[in-house]
Amino acid sequence: MRSFCDVSGQVVLITGGGGGVGRLLALNFAKLNANIIIWDINQEAIKATIDLLNQNGFQSIKGYVVDISDREQVYQRAAQTMTEVGQVDILINNAGIVCCRPFWDLPDSVIQKTYNINIISHYWTVKAFLPNMMRRNSGHIVTVGSVTGMLGTYGCTDYSATKFACIGFHESLLTDLKTHGYNDIQMTLICPYYINTGMFSGVKPRLFPMLEPQYVSDEIVKAVRRNEVWCVMPKSIRTLTPLKCLLPAKMCWELMARVIRGPDSMRLYQGRGKVAAG
C-alpha cells in the first residue's frame, strides 16, 4: 500500500474553492496543516469558505476573486498570490460549470463559457504556476475531470467534451514533464461520477447513486497524498468504461438507453436556475 506524503506547510491553491467539493477540499487540506488559497469568482462564497475554516481553528487561508476564464486576470492574480503567499506547491483545477441541454438548445455563449472555464482556464493556471515548479522540479497538479470525460453523456455535448479535453490535456502534460525529466512534479487526474452538490440537481442516475461531496473530497486528498496518477470514483467505473471499445456500438447504445437508461436520467436535470458551477 502506498504511503501518504506530508503536506503540512505546503501551499494548496484550489480553483472553485468557494463551495461544493472545493470548500471541503480546503477544509481537508487545512486539517493537514497546509496553507490554503481559494480562487473563486464569487466573493461571498470565498468569505463563506474562509469563515468555515476560521471556525475550525484554521487561519492560514487567503482568498482571491478570480475569473479563471480571463487569461490576463489569471496571470495577474497568480503573480499577486506568489508575491503575497509564496510558491504554490499543489494546484487543484477544480472549478467547472454545466448547462445540461441537448446540443440544439445550447446557446453559443454557453458553449464558449463552458470551454473557457472547464478546460481553457487550465492552460492559464498551469502556465502561471508550472514554471516555478519546474525550477524546483517539485509540485503537484491536480485536474478534476469527470466520468463524463470517459463516456459521452446525454445533454453534455459541451460539458462532456471539455472533460474529455481535461483528460487529454492532463495526460499530455504528464508526458511532456516525464519526457523532459521533471519526474518530481506529480500529476493526479480525478474522474468522479455525479456528485451530490446541486450541480446535477434533479438527475437520478440508475447505475450508481450520486457521490457525496465529503467522500469525493476525502478521496481526492488521499489520491494527492499517495501521488496517484488517476483516481476514478467509484473505482468500478474504471473497469466498466472500456467496454465501450470492446462491445459493438449498437450493443453499447442499447445498454445505455434501455438498461442503464442514462438519457432518461439526465432529462430530469433541473440545475440551479442558471449555468451551474461546482
Side-chain angles (χ1 to χ4, degrees), residues 184-252:
D184 292 325
I185 298 177
Q186 306 298 327
M187 299 278 296
T188 299
L189 173 63
I190 308 294
C191 290
Y193 192 60
Y194 301 112
I195 308 172
N196 189 23
T197 60
M199 190 170 187
F200 286 94
S201 178
V203 174
K204 299 187 183 302
R206 292 173 171 83
L207 186 59
F208 302 100
M210 281 196 180
L211 303 175
E212 291 304 315
Q214 188 63 62
Y215 166 78
V216 174
S217 175
D218 292 346
E219 289 300 301
I220 291 175
V221 173
K222 288 178 188 176
V224 171
R225 295 186 66 204
R226 289 172 177 162
N227 292 328
E228 291 182 18
V229 176
W230 192 22
C231 174
V232 180
M233 292 177 259
K235 291 181 174 62
S236 54
I237 287 184
R238 190 168 179 174
T239 60
L240 291 175
T241 51
L243 291 176
K244 74 174 187 177
C245 299
L246 300 174
L247 296 176
K250 290 181 179 179
M251 183 181 293
C252 287

Side-chain angles (χ1 to χ4, degrees), residues 48-249:
T49 296
I50 292 176
D51 288 347
L52 174 65
L53 269 62
N54 289 164
Q55 290 164 14
N56 282 272
F58 305 113
Q59 304 300 320
S60 297
I61 311 106
K62 291 277 285 184
Y64 298 88
V65 175
V66 188
D67 178 357
I68 57 172
S69 68
D70 184 329
R71 179 185 59 189
E72 293 307 318
Q73 190 175 140
V74 168
Y75 290 165
Q76 290 169 8
R77 287 291 183 272
Q80 180 183 358
T81 297
M82 289 186 283
T83 298
E84 295 180 356
V85 181
Q87 65 190 25
V88 170
D89 299 294
I90 302 174
L91 169 63
I92 304 179
N93 280 315
N94 164 73
I97 62 170
V98 66
C99 180
C100 197
R101 298 181 188 176
F103 174 76
W104 47 88
D105 287 337
L106 277 173
D108 292 356
S109 60
V110 169
I111 295 170
Q112 190 67 64
K113 187 174 183 179
T114 302
Y115 270 83
N116 286 342
I117 293 174
N118 289 6
I119 178 59
I120 301 298
S121 68
H122 291 217
Y123 288 83
W124 314 147
T125 58
V126 173
K127 270 184 169 285
F129 296 110
L130 182 60
N132 190 276
M133 294 181 181
M134 292 171 69
R135 282 192 289 273
R136 297 179 283 125
N137 192 16
S138 176
H140 203 134
I141 297 170
V142 182
T143 302
V144 179
S146 170
V147 167
T148 63
M150 301 163 63
L151 184 69
T153 305
Y154 172 83
C156 293
T157 52
D158 57 340
Y159 182 79
S160 185
T162 61
K163 293 303 183 178
F164 268 89
C166 281
I167 293 175
F169 169 80
H170 185 97
E171 292 182 348
S172 297
L173 178 57
L174 173 64
T175 301
D176 285 352
L177 291 169
K178 295 296 184 186
T179 300
H180 289 274
Y182 295 102
N183 295 309
D184 292 325
I185 298 177
Q186 306 298 327
M187 299 278 296
T188 299
L189 173 63
I190 308 294
C191 290
Y193 192 60
Y194 301 112
I195 308 172
N196 189 23
T197 60
M199 190 170 187
F200 286 94
S201 178
V203 174
K204 299 187 183 302
R206 292 173 171 83
L207 186 59
F208 302 100
M210 281 196 180
L211 303 175
E212 291 304 315
Q214 188 63 62
Y215 166 78
V216 174
S217 175
D218 292 346
E219 289 300 301
I220 291 175
V221 173
K222 288 178 188 176
V224 171
R225 295 186 66 204
R226 289 172 177 162
N227 292 328
E228 291 182 18
V229 176
W230 192 22
C231 174
V232 180
M233 292 177 259
K235 291 181 174 62
S236 54
I237 287 184
R238 190 168 179 174
T239 60
L240 291 175
T241 51
L243 291 176
K244 74 174 187 177
C245 299
L246 300 174
L247 296 176

